[in-house]
Amino acid sequence: MTLPDSDDTIVAISTPPGYGGIGVIRISGKQAFTIANTIIDTTVNIMEAKSHTIHHGYVRGAEVGSITDEVLVALLRSPNSYTGEDVIEISAHGNPQILKQIVGLAIDSGARQATAGEFTMRAFLSGRIDLVQAESVADLIAAESAAFQQIALYQLSGKLSAYIGSIRAQLLDIGALFEAYTDFPDEEIPRQQQAELLAKLDDVIESLTRLASSYRRGEIIRTGVQIPIVGPPNAGKSSLFNVILAEERAIVTEIPGTTRDTIAEKIEIEGLAVLFVDTAGLREASDQIEAAGVERSRREIKAANLLIAIFDVANTPVEKIRSSLGEMPGKTIILALNKIDLVSNAISDAYTTALAHYHPVLLSATTLVGVDKLVARIASVIRESMHPSSADGNVLTNKRHCVAVQNALGSLTEACTKLEQGESFELMAFDLRQATNNLEEILGKITNDDLLAEIFSRFCIGK
Amino acid sequence: MRDYDIIVIGGGHAGIEATAASARMGLSTALITGELAKIGEMSCNPAIGGVGKGQLVREIDALGGVMGYITDNTGIHFRTLNKSKGPAVWSSRAQADRKLYREFSQHLLSEIPNLSLVEGMVKEIVALDGKFDHVIMMDGRTIASSACVLASGTFLNGLIHIGEKQTPAGRVGEPPSLHLSESLQKLGFQVGRLKTGTPPRLDGSTIDFDRLERQPGDDDFKPFSLLTNNRLTNRAFCYVTYTSKQTQEIVERNLHRSAMFSGNIKGIGPRYCPSIEDKIHRFRDKERHQLFLEPEGLDTNEIYINGLSTSLPEDVQLDVLHSITGLDDVVMNRPGYAIEYDFFPAFQIKPSLETRLVEHLYFAGQINGTSGYEEAGAQGLMAGINAALRLKGDEPFYLDRSQAYIGVLIDDLVTKVPTEPYRMFTSRAEYRLALREDNAADRLIKYGKRFGLINDDIYNTYLAKRQMIDAEKQRLGRTMALISQIDSSAANGDKCSLGVLLKRPAIRYQDMRAADEVCREFPADCAKQVEIEIKYEGYLDKQQREIDRFKQFESKVIPDDFDVRKVNGLKAEAVGVLHRFRPVSLGQASRLAGVTFADITVLMIHLKRHTSGSVSRETL
Ligand SMILES: Cc1cc2nc3c(=O)[nH]c(=O)nc-3n(C[C@H](O)[C@H](O)[C@H](O)COP(=O)(O)OP(=O)(O)OC[C@H]3O[C@@H](n4cnc5c(N)ncnc54)[C@H](O)[C@@H]3O)c2cc1C
Ligand SMILES: Nc1nc2c(ncn2[C@@H]2O[C@H](COP(=O)(O)OP(=O)(O)O)[C@@H](O)[C@H]2O)c(=O)[nH]1
Ligand SMILES: [Mg+2]
């Protein structure tokens, strides 16, 4: 992969494909104003108008005297624009044909069709944003949940970069101490100083460990939480699934084993994307298709950290529930006791008491009693698992960052071990330098054009 | 008419290397210097090597330079510093006999063919059409040559300060070089000013050595030079002493009389070799500062007091000395002083040390903003080699940061604006683990051989040794032994290869002698090498990956005709910096302050297009 030419003036439709109220065309580069001036008739002189002003005008048609559309033009002069270059944004009517024609006119006047992510890449190249920030732009556009959107915004603001930068500064500081001992001969490191160095290293290791472990959370924030609904056939899994999603998605039948495959649906709870999965019942399957479904449920359950286990109180003895739950070790289980409309209060009370350890939620998927309590429980469990006490915005959501942080941690842990064993400084200094490099990679201080090309190819055209 | 192929100006450590190299590469070379009898003078302490500097000396030697050989022959006290640390930072240091060092240097030069010595001071450098042409001497003589290496040290408009007293001088007792700096400025060079200092000299017969800690040399010191076959003997001692509470009081009381503190000196001094005023002023809590008493020679009682560089007035210097343990009644032969001098910030030279403004003119040594004999020697050698290559029509010789300290030194010079005299440290070398004293020949001897500075005998001796070491490493890898026989802490009867065993931190090569006959016979200096290479292997592999990445950027050459001002998308600051420093590669560009990683990416894109042959579209 190679990076596109950074000299050209580029153009692209920046709004999503299809019809819309308006559509926006963005032009960036040295020629942006000249091109706009050529293709748009306005009452002001675009070449001389002030930056950050909006003007009414007409895009000229292909033939002399004709017009393509009536538009608003926003003028943004370098360096105060998204790309850092001269930028023109044309708001036209949201008809794909019109938008394409305007792009065509711009190209005829010397612009080039932008490649995916090229506007953002220019922002990176002009030094306006670093790599972490650039990557967050793609995230921000793709964000499906409020939480992910917030993290992406946090990263775009440069705060995560600044945080990583501050850890890097700490490392350079410690490195300088190691170097001082290496370059001044026969100075032995005093014990007190050694303890101090270790403490400083520990601080950095702690920050990085926290950062590395935030990736699990970050990944959940990015991709959402998966919650399979599991239980015996006919416990009411599909019914509950439908109720939660408040729409008829799964087939509900009275014949055990009808849900043959998993069906999943995403909704937002607590600002997070939550993926509910309706699974086939865990029982001996009577045919092949169903067997495949059962197998898939088992996998689903195995992978999940959080699940809803549902049982039919009218038909399932307490012991059976206990033993089923006992087979799911290491999971956070929300226990739903369904079909309470079919049993007396005394019986449901008895279940509650017998299974008190699991804090069961009593409900009926038919009458909807207790469903709100279940949703509240789900929300509180997510809240607890997602927002550990020290939660800050420094959450890694990107695998590339996580790998680099882990590599840095590996080197630093090695440096600590060596320091404790009284090994020679130049070796620790080496480890430290490697860790510093890892952090610089995240910010893009160590450039590699393949990496850049890959990162920017994640974008849609127009960003 | 050319009088010589190459003129070298200055008989200091840079000048000696440049002269020897160019003459031995077959070019008629003249060394012009103020006073022939002062060739090889050590302006400061009579010591060669030290942390980071010992590495430079061994590199100079592996390339065929002379500093290591002179030191081996005139040294009276040899020691390896940093012994408690790893082999990458072991650094050799020798105390030389100042007079012998001078005499030996002069003798060595006198035996080299094609070499003339000319006494006198150069007043002016004359260029024609941007190319060096001739020099004009103070007495009016003109001497013409095809190329010139300027190595005038601390002499350019040198000004010595002792307390309130100021004397124009190049170093103590020698006149400064006047007019030459102005002649260069007239040619368009930008000048800067730096300063450095030296401590007082003492009469050793008035020092109470019995009260001081004696520091002997090492018995097993490995000579600096591949040419030296004999074992080196230590013929003198150094001594350690400390400043006292009283010293502190005296200095504090007289601070305003120090040339540096009173503001008389405008040049910037080094942080790492601070004056005693500086040390006491900056580190108030430190109760005492360590000082070394070093002999100046065998036939003199003169003692150099290392760590007490100062520009306080003479009377105060004497008070300070008397407050130091063992120096209660010391007689001061000469006071310490500070000197400030002109230098030419090195963005004005290329990595070949040729100036950008004047072709065939090279700058080497202190004139480029460095400090130290070894730093000067390294540059002198490189300038001499490059001037000779240029006249022969060959490509310039560069060493990069992963190959040598010399590479680090020159790269630092041409990518940074000095804020103080530049001294080498091991921490300046990011690939330090690979740039050791013990492997200097492995890294560099091939170049010395190529330029004809290393003769066949030396080269073949080196090769034979190298082969022995490699064979022994392989043999150790193949030879299995009972672990318990070598590592007493191992209990069970497992076997393991000697090579793997040697990787263990506690196991040394000699520990294997009990179990292995060949080890008993193997020569000690080769054994040391085997041990270092095996123990460091893991790190070196990791470092190699970094070096590979580094080389990717170093190999992206920025051609001479590439005009950064025409690159769209570079920030103005970056354009300014790039235009000023003219880096030769993308890697070098990335090390310039003011050039960001985004700028490097922009450059990378443009270079690709530039080198892929398509026509660069003008955007300005
Ligand atoms: C007072 C003092 C303190 C120092 N302190 C330290 C220290 O603490 N640590 C350290 O590492 N280094 C120190 N040094 C530096 C060290 O001495 C130099 O770095 C080193 O000698 C520089 O070598 P050079 O070859 O560049 O120049 P020099 O050794 O200075 O040699 C310059 C030579 O050029 C000749 N010359 C100059 N101008 C002309 C001319 N116009 N025509 C003909 N010949 C000319 C001179 O006669 C002289 O022979 C100190 C030097 C001085 C003077
Ligand atoms: N009375 C009653 N019937 C329920 C309730 N929940 C589910 N059912 C019925 O139980 C049967 C099986 O439900 P389904 O959701 O398909 O169970 P699944 O096999 O676990 O997916 C259907 O006929 C549902 O209508 C409930 O709370 N009360
Ligand atoms: Mg179902």
Side-chain angles (χ1 to χ4, degrees):
Chain A
M1 266 192 279
T2 49
L3 294 172
D5 207 315
S6 61
D7 267 358
D8 301 343
T9 296
I10 50 174
V11 62
I13 302 171
S14 286
T15 36
Y19 290 82
I22 60 165
V24 175
I25 287 141
R26 189 188 261 164
I27 308 174
S28 177
K30 280 246 148 83
Q31 306 289 315
F33 278 60
T34 321
I35 292 169
N37 197 37
T38 318
I39 65 174
I40 301 169
D41 272 331
T42 50
T43 48
V44 297
N45 181 346
I46 287 181
M47 300 309 289
E48 271 152 33
K50 275 214 244 152
S51 181
H52 292 73
T53 53
I54 296 181
H55 308 277
H56 176 261
Y58 297 92
V59 176
R60 294 179 195 129
E63 281 126 58
V64 186
S66 71
I67 62 164
T68 306
D69 195 13
E70 180 181 4
V71 297
L72 284 178
V73 205
L75 314 180
L76 306 130
R77 286 186 196 277
S78 169
N80 299 315
S81 72
Y82 178 71
T83 57
E85 305 176 315
D86 283 348
V87 167
I88 295 283
E89 285 184 6
I90 304 171
S91 304
H93 291 102
N95 176 330
Q97 293 315 314
I98 295 178
L99 298 178
K100 269 189 215 155
Q101 280 170 34
I102 299 177
V103 168
L105 288 168
I107 289 174
D108 291 343
S109 313
R112 163 170 71 70
Q113 172 72 52
T115 62
E118 199 172 355
F119 289 100
T120 306
M121 190 172 92
R122 293 208 171 176
F124 168 74
L125 292 182
S126 72
R128 282 199 59 242
I129 58 174
D130 63 31
L131 261 197
V132 172
Q133 289 173 295
E135 288 171 285
S136 67
V137 172
D139 289 344
L140 193 57
I141 295 165
E144 279 181 345
S145 68
F148 189 30
Q149 195 182 321
Q150 266 194 343
I151 297 271
L153 266 175
Y154 183 86
Q155 296 181 355
L156 180 59
S157 74
K159 284 184 187 146
L160 179 62
S161 309
Y163 181 64
I164 293 172
S166 75
I167 297 178
R168 171 179 168 264
Q170 269 173 283
L171 274 182
L172 290 178
D173 227 43
I174 302 171
L177 286 174
F178 279 118
E179 296 299 353
Y181 283 103
T182 310
D183 272 334
F184 292 93
D186 305 325
E187 289 241 15
E188 283 315 314
I189 199 163
R191 190 153 308 200
Q192 179 200 344
Q193 193 104 29
Q194 174 165 343
E196 211 172 287
L197 270 176
L198 260 178
K200 282 184 179 192
L201 264 179
D202 277 343
D203 270 358
V204 173
I205 289 181
E206 196 189 303
S207 309
L208 286 178
T209 308
R210 213 182 312 126
L211 206 53
S213 62
S214 78
Y215 181 61
R216 241 178 72 105
R217 189 153 44 107
E219 209 182 10
I220 291 172
I221 292 171
R222 181 166 51 89
T223 56
V225 201
Q226 253 198 43
I227 310 183
I229 304 172
V230 304
N234 250 7
K237 297 183 292 295
S238 303
S239 310
L240 180 64
F241 179 79
N242 291 337
V243 168
I244 291 177
L245 300 171
E247 63 171 81
E248 291 287 306
R249 263 294 268 114
I251 323 152
V252 182
T253 60
E254 277 179 52
I255 314 152
T258 320
T259 310
R260 293 199 147 144
D261 208 343
T262 51
I263 291 174
E265 193 74 28
K266 226 176 232 181
I267 61 169
E268 196 178 303
I269 297 180
E270 282 289 302
L272 277 181
V274 180
L275 186 76
F276 286 98
V277 184
D278 178 17
T279 66
L282 296 175
R283 50 157 236 151
E284 294 301 309
S286 52
D287 65 46
Q288 269 194 342
I289 298 177
E290 201 189 307
V294 171
E295 184 43 44
R296 190 150 163 193
S297 306
R298 288 193 197 281
R299 255 187 283 132
E300 212 87 54
I301 294 165
K302 229 173 137 190
N305 298 308
L306 172 60
L307 41 81
I308 298 174
I310 184 168
F311 296 93
D312 171 358
V313 283
N315 282 305
T316 329
V318 167
E319 273 322 302
K320 176 98 204 308
I321 298 178
R322 275 222 185 92
S323 67
S324 297
L325 292 177
E327 287 164 17
M328 306 173 188
K331 314 272 178 198
T332 305
I333 297 166
I334 298 173
L335 175 58
L337 297 177
N338 189 27
K339 307 199 188 178
I340 55 164
D341 56 310
L342 298 181
V343 298
S344 67
N345 281 352
I347 290 179
S348 48
D349 283 352
Y351 271 87
T352 313
T353 319
L355 296 164
H357 173 66
Y358 294 97
H359 305 290
V361 180
L362 295 176
L363 62 89
S364 164
T366 311
T367 67
L368 302 186
V369 171
V371 171
D372 52 344
K373 263 191 256 156
L374 181 73
V375 172
R377 166 67 64 77
I378 295 168
S380 82
V381 169
I382 290 175
R383 215 171 21 240
E384 278 163 29
S385 63
M386 286 304 93
H387 303 278
S389 50
S390 68
D392 48 24
N394 297 315
V395 178
L396 299 184
T397 50
N398 187 311
K399 182 95 195 174
R400 184 179 80 82
H401 304 170
C402 181
V403 170
V405 168
Q406 270 162 348
N407 288 342
L409 266 175
S411 298
L412 291 180
T413 316
E414 223 167 90
C416 267
T417 315
K418 285 187 194 127
L419 189 58
E420 279 161 347
Q421 291 174 348
E423 281 215 50
S424 175
F425 299 118
E426 79 279 5
L427 298 180
M428 297 169 226
F430 177 70
D431 293 326
L432 239 62
R433 208 161 332 213
Q434 294 233 310
T436 314
N437 284 352
N438 290 136
L439 296 188
E440 293 182 350
E441 258 166 49
I442 299 181
L443 302 174
K445 280 195 199 291
I446 296 175
T447 347
N448 169 333
D449 50 348
D450 284 346
L451 172 73
L452 289 183
E454 191 183 305
I455 287 172
F456 290 106
S457 68
R458 282 181 56 218
F459 286 81
C460 47
I461 293 169
K463 251 295 160 190
Chain B
M1 258 303 282
R2 301 266 166 254
D3 300 299
Y4 306 96
D5 292 329
I6 294 178
I7 288 174
V8 176
I9 304 171
H13 307 275
I16 290 173
E17 294 290 352
T19 310
S22 99
R24 289 168 62 204
M25 285 172 76
L27 294 135
S28 72
T29 307
L31 173 61
I32 307 177
T33 192
E35 207 180 319
L36 293 184
K38 288 275 164 64
I39 289 177
E41 178 63 83
M42 305 171 106
S43 323
C44 195
N45 59 340
I48 296 286
V51 177
K53 293 169 172 257
Q55 280 87 340
L56 280 173
V57 179
R58 292 196 189 272
E59 290 181 355
I60 291 172
D61 187 72
L63 287 169
V66 296
M67 180 174 269
Y69 188 62
I70 301 173
T71 308
D72 284 345
N73 282 282
T74 58
I76 53 177
H77 179 272
F78 301 91
R79 225 159 70 85
T80 303
L81 308 180
N82 261 339
K83 235 359 203 193
S84 64
K85 293 154 198 166
V89 294
W90 292 346
S91 301
S92 306
R93 183 179 188 278
Q95 232 21 84
D97 179 306
R98 178 189 297 284
K99 191 167 117 241
L100 283 180
Y101 195 96
R102 232 173 19 225
E103 289 169 0
F104 195 91
S105 305
Q106 292 164 20
H107 170 73
L108 187 140
L109 290 183
S110 73
E111 300 218 311
I112 299 176
N114 307 322
L115 195 156
S116 317
L117 300 174
V118 178
E119 194 164 65
M121 292 296 269
V122 171
K123 185 181 171 200
E124 196 177 335
I125 283 180
V126 181
L128 275 182
D129 301 329
K131 193 167 167 183
F132 172 81
D133 195 75
H134 65 274
V135 297
I136 302 173
M137 306 291 291
M138 287 297 236
D139 59 17
R141 275 178 292 167
T142 66
I143 304 176
S145 66
S146 304
C148 173
V149 177
L150 179 58
S152 50
T154 50
F155 282 67
L156 297 184
N157 293 329
L159 187 64
I160 281 181
H161 298 253
I162 303 173
E164 297 93 341
K165 224 169 65 202
Q166 294 165 25
T167 330
R171 64 188 161 216
V172 79
E174 286 178 65
S177 172
L178 302 173
H179 312 296
L180 186 53
S181 174
E182 287 71 16
S183 112
L184 288 165
Q185 292 172 54
K186 247 186 274 155
L187 288 171
F189 288 98
Q190 282 179 44
V191 71
R193 208 143 165 87
L194 288 172
K195 81 126 234 255
T196 187
T198 190
R201 303 305 141 91
L202 316 177
D203 178 349
S205 65
T206 59
I207 295 174
D208 188 358
F209 286 113
D210 291 344
R211 287 167 60 200
L212 304 179
E213 182 190 323
R214 199 152 87 167
Q215 198 182 50
D218 295 346
D219 291 331
D220 57 346
F221 187 87
K222 185 180 169 198
F224 278 107
S225 179
L226 298 166
L227 295 170
T228 308
N229 292 314
N230 55 307
R231 216 186 152 89
L232 302 176
T233 42
N234 289 294
R235 292 189 275 176
F237 292 103
C238 293
Y239 294 85
V240 181
T241 185
Y242 297 92
T243 61
S244 64
K245 188 100 201 90
Q246 218 188 327
T247 318
Q248 191 163 345
E249 284 164 17
I250 299 168
V251 170
E252 296 267 14
R253 211 175 330 116
N254 291 288
L255 214 50
H256 62 282
R257 297 181 62 197
S258 156
M260 269 161 309
F261 278 82
S262 61
N264 277 350
I265 292 187
K266 315 235 159 18
I268 315 161
R271 263 175 313 172
Y272 41 80
C273 189
S275 64
I276 190 70
E277 297 89 294
D278 249 344
K279 283 198 258 188
I280 285 181
H281 185 69
R282 271 197 289 169
F283 306 102
R284 274 157 199 260
D285 323 330
K286 203 160 169 191
E287 276 174 25
R288 56 181 206 174
H289 296 271
Q290 197 174 39
L291 304 166
F292 295 92
L293 298 180
E294 303 170 351
E296 287 260 331
L298 291 175
D299 64 355
T300 166
N301 260 328
E302 191 151 282
I303 293 289
Y304 175 98
I305 179 164
N306 193 345
L308 202 81
S309 147
T310 177
S311 62
L312 284 163
E314 245 181 283
D315 58 313
V316 183
Q317 289 191 27
L318 199 58
D319 286 349
V320 165
L321 286 173
H322 289 161
S323 73
I324 294 165
T325 318
L327 305 185
D328 311 53
D329 300 313
V330 80
V331 170
M332 180 167 74
N333 287 354
R334 268 186 293 130
Y337 64 90
I339 183 164
E340 47 173 338
Y341 52 91
D342 287 355
F343 80 108
F344 294 92
F347 58 80
Q348 302 174 92
I349 56 173
K350 304 177 195 174
S352 63
L353 303 183
E354 187 179 19
T355 66
R356 295 192 183 286
L357 275 173
V358 178
E359 276 185 81
H360 291 205
L361 175 64
Y362 294 76
F363 284 173
Q366 197 105 5
I367 191 173
N368 286 328
T370 62
S371 159
Y373 311 133
E374 306 78 1
E375 289 82 350
Q379 293 170 69
L381 176 62
M382 293 299 277
I385 291 174
N386 273 320
L389 290 174
R390 182 106 154 99
L391 296 191
K392 291 174 174 208
D394 291 336
E395 287 295 303
F397 174 52
Y398 303 123
L399 289 167
D400 74 33
R401 304 182 71 90
S402 71
Q403 289 176 293
Y405 273 85
I406 297 177
V408 174
L409 167 69
I410 294 177
D411 186 69
D412 278 345
L413 286 181
V414 301
T415 54
K416 291 181 178 66
V417 177
T419 53
E420 61 186 330
Y422 181 99
R423 179 214 193 274
M424 186 47 75
F425 286 106
T426 72
S427 53
R428 296 199 195 267
E430 50 278 73
Y431 310 114
R432 172 166 66 193
L433 299 184
L435 305 184
R436 306 184 307 275
E437 282 198 8
D438 65 80
N439 71 356
D442 293 324
R443 292 182 276 124
L444 303 172
I445 198 170
K446 54 177 181 262
Y447 302 114
K449 168 99 170 51
R450 191 206 291 166
F451 303 137
L453 296 172
I454 290 282
N455 69 32
D456 290 349
D457 278 356
I458 298 298
Y459 187 67
N460 292 335
T461 311
Y462 157 77
L463 274 190
K465 246 188 186 173
R466 185 66 243 172
Q467 276 158 10
M468 248 170 88
I469 291 162
D470 288 339
E472 175 63 358
K473 276 166 70 184
Q474 282 180 5
R475 191 191 68 84
L476 292 178
R478 285 193 312 264
T479 311
M480 303 297 280
L482 217 54
I483 300 179
S484 53
Q485 212 177 345
I486 289 159
D487 189 346
S488 49
S489 66
N492 62 18
D494 287 347
K495 281 191 147 192
C496 164
S497 84
L498 292 173
V500 170
L501 268 176
L502 194 51
K503 277 195 192 298
R504 297 189 180 184
I507 303 292
R508 309 293 311 274
Y509 185 87
Q510 59 261 30
D511 296 331
M512 306 196 297
R513 297 204 170 122
D516 187 89
E517 202 174 324
V518 181
C519 287
R520 266 176 297 218
E521 308 288 308
F522 200 67
D525 61 331
C526 295
K528 208 174 199 172
Q529 187 81 23
V530 168
E531 182 178 324
I532 293 172
E533 287 179 18
I534 289 183
K535 283 200 190 301
Y536 258 38
E537 200 172 68
Y539 288 99
L540 292 175
D541 286 351
K542 268 199 211 168
Q543 181 128 84
Q544 191 54 47
R545 283 197 289 277
E546 271 180 47
I547 291 177
D548 291 343
R549 185 156 69 172
F550 158 81
K551 293 257 191 199
Q552 272 179 20
F553 284 89
E554 294 307 296
S555 65
K556 293 196 173 129
V557 173
I558 304 178
D560 265 351
D561 63 342
F562 184 81
D563 189 349
V564 289
R565 288 169 304 181
K566 289 186 178 160
V567 174
N568 185 19
L570 280 180
K571 283 179 295 304
E573 185 191 2
V575 173
V577 171
L578 289 166
H579 187 63
R580 186 171 181 206
F581 285 87
R582 305 281 298 269
V584 294
S585 68
L586 213 50
Q588 208 167 65
S590 72
R591 290 187 290 277
L592 298 171
V595 176
T596 67
F597 49 98
D599 297 322
I600 292 299
T601 314
V602 173
L603 267 181
M604 194 153 69
I605 294 168
H606 280 259
L607 278 173
K608 255 189 195 153
R609 212 172 21 148
H610 186 91
T611 47
S612 70
S614 65
V615 184
S616 149
R617 196 148 49 85
E618 302 287 327
T619 50
L620 276 178

